[in-house]
Amino acid sequence: MSTTSTASASLRAAIDEQLLKTVGVSAQDATQTDLMKAVAQVARAQLSQRWVETQAHDRSSQARRVYYLSMEFLIGRTMSNALAALGITDAAAKGVSEHAHTLEEVCDREPDAALGNGGLGRLAACFLDSMATLDLPSFGYGIRYEYGMFAQDIVRGTQVEYPDPWLADGTPWEFPRADISFPVRFGGWVEHLGERAVWRHSAEVAAKAYDMVIPGHATDKVSTLRLWKAVAPAHLDLAAFNTGDYGRAAQVKNEFENISWVLYPNDSTPAGRELRLRQEYFFVAASVQDILQRHILEHGTLANLHEKVAMHLNDTHPAIAVAELMRVLCDEHSMPWAQAWEICKNTFSYTNHTLMPEALETWPVALMQHVLPRHLEIIFRINAEFLEMAAKFRPGDNGFLARLSLIDEAGERRVRMANLSIVGSHKVNGVSALHSDLLVETIFADFAALWPDRFTNMTNGVTPRRWLSQANPGLASLLDETIGSEWRIKLDKLKLLESKVDDAAFRDAFKAVKRSNKARLAAHIERSTGIKVSPDSLFDVQVKRIHEYKRQLLNVLHVITRYQDILANPNADWVPRVTIFAGKAASSYVAAKSIIRLIHDVGSVINNDPRIGDKLKLVFIPNYGVSVAEIIMPGADLSEQISTAGTEASGTGNMKLALNGALTIGTDDGANIEIRQNVGDDNIFIFGLRTPEVLALKRGGYQPMRHYEGNRSLKAVLDAISGGQFSPEEPGRYRPLVDALLWGGDHYMLLADYESYVATQAKVDSLYRQSDEWAKRAIINVANMGVFSSDRTIAQYAKEIWGIPTKA
Ligand code: 26W
């Protein structure tokens, strides 16, 4: 027998053994789900081995480690990624084929770990993959939510949310660490005994560790994602329990354990509720205890903490860590304040993910006093010393100090978490070149005046393992044949494709891959919506959270324009197009939900109009998430990245789509700008106002009505919507959406960009008609996406922010 067939024979035996031992079924009776669990157990055992070895290595080398603190990790499924990292995909496929199933069917049985909302959470997951792959000594820290991102169903065109009990049947990928548990305290008051402060807390909950192993690729190293579960202290409910009051006992238990129950399903607007603050402190306090305990074990002192520990704040959600580290160092380890503050600043770094002022987290001082009284005192002291320093920089400028202050004094006093993060960190970064520039020019301008060197840029990236290798096996094997397989860990190698652009045979192979990915996507569309679409159409894709600033509504305006144009000119040479949307709206976000419904209403009219046929289809794929994205990205021709310039911090879907050979139609915003710089102006469709023009127009008094009056097709489209053409049973349904554009100021300037958007869509059509020209540009896009690997991003963070050398 060859070595590979021995490997698959032994893997088959291992699967059968796990079916019996862990799953508890005979090999003959195994269902797909049973097989999924058994294969996972086999992979888990091998990963465990690597894990133990990595930990031992990092411990004995006294490595400097990075700890990535994040409220969200949008991981998706683990199976295919784990098998690929272990190099046992083929053997596993053979193993399950003995049971008359395909590996794909088996992998599909795994629920997504959807512990995040959108871009920020998925970025954290891509980063973990890259940290492991670059052998970076690292941990992710977060919350083990019992319920992740809600599942979205569409009922008569409207979004309905269902809970996501992803742990209901257990997950094979977690390792409960029964022995790792830390107390987390809340409430009470502070007693001052001379110099010493003592926090007399009024409540305590236990944080229990659950680890997920994060495999690296082309390395035996693995990383750890440690998630905390809140557990009521056993002694607490016993009193009630012992008197037979089970209701009361359960209630007390719930009050504590609700902390890790559910992910806040809010994107871009902070959730100002007490439970959210408790979640933030809960995972930060547990993580800091764990990190300090490990550090003391390895180094015996906290004096060198910043030399061995880098803690990264993924947005302001974990910002309370700054006050917590100060509290632990000063109150629990009796370190002098000044020394502790030096350590603190040199330990933390912070990434901002949004410019929108309404999205910046602040907490009422009164709430902080109630939940975390000692932390509030510490924040006040940090603020007093900081403002004293700042006052020397610009004497007498009270406005300057008021803007810098960690406390917003206008109205109800509030703690500004971004200001705390900046003051407590040695580095602050944005997530694209434009975003990082805008940070220092706008919301953080005062801090940048004070500390110009503190601010920097780290342009986002995505992991090529999940977003190319795993999601697009067809393109991956074409790449392997054409340029070798190294691109998986050195994405710059894609550049080699440029020499193939004029090779007709290669172009045909490339087109064939796209075509089969589109057939797969079309099958998913039919399964999930009942709508049949032709893979010969141009697949035009906008997938992301539904938000006004992302302007899904502008896309709909174009679809309706096209519909009306087709009706007016039925015999023109129309490029058949399928416009595809997917994404969730925050449950309380009325306008976003109305946009989802509009997409469905417009879709029903267009898709059922016999005059239109395949010339135009409009579909909304329900329940967007990581696994759905893995089907959509490879099947897209056109990537819609059409946020108002200056509003999308970076975007990462734009990178995934271009990496899979879609051309971008987009504004001069976020990472679109860097994509344009890399692929070249001729290989991307950029339209609309640029950031300075948006700002100037806002200042000069923007008049959306002028565009309505001045553009006949725009007027016809808006009139059709507001007149009820797409909602005849309730003609006024979309009046509020249209009124917000015409009378409400059109905050995101859809009408100002409409004309240029529609004109650019016509250019898209002409290029698509020349299928060879289109393919050339798609190939050039893929060839130039190397820089958008999260390996590049993480290598840059490691070098410039965390001070840890990597092999990249
Ligand atoms: C619950 C409150 C809340 C508020 C804001 C949760 C999450 C957020 C995030 C800031 C939203 C988010 O995901 N931002 C996105 O981050 C991506 C990764 O950097 C960027 O690519 C996107 O442009 C940005 O919108």
Side-chain angles (χ1 to χ4, degrees), residues 72 117-121 123 264-271 276 315 317 352-354 359 431 460 549-550 648-652:
E72 305 190 5
N117 272 286
L120 163 148
L123 185 75
Y264 269 81
N266 244 337
D267 175 271
S268 306
T269 39
R276 168 83 184 187
D315 216 282
H317 315 152
N352 170 285
H353 293 267
T354 179
V431 290
N460 283 168
Y549 84 82
K550 296 178 187 282
E648 187 70 273
S650 161
T652 47

Side-chain angles (χ1 to χ4, degrees), residues 165-184:
W166 71 292
L167 287 170
D169 300 327
T171 167
W173 301 110
E174 70 175 8
F175 293 71
R177 302 290 184 197
D179 51 331
I180 302 179
S181 170
F182 294 100
V184 176

Side-chain angles (χ1 to χ4, degrees), residues 14 45 437 496 504 531 539 601 792:
D437 286 346
L496 294 168
I531 300 168
F539 280 13
D601 280 346
R792 184 272 309 152

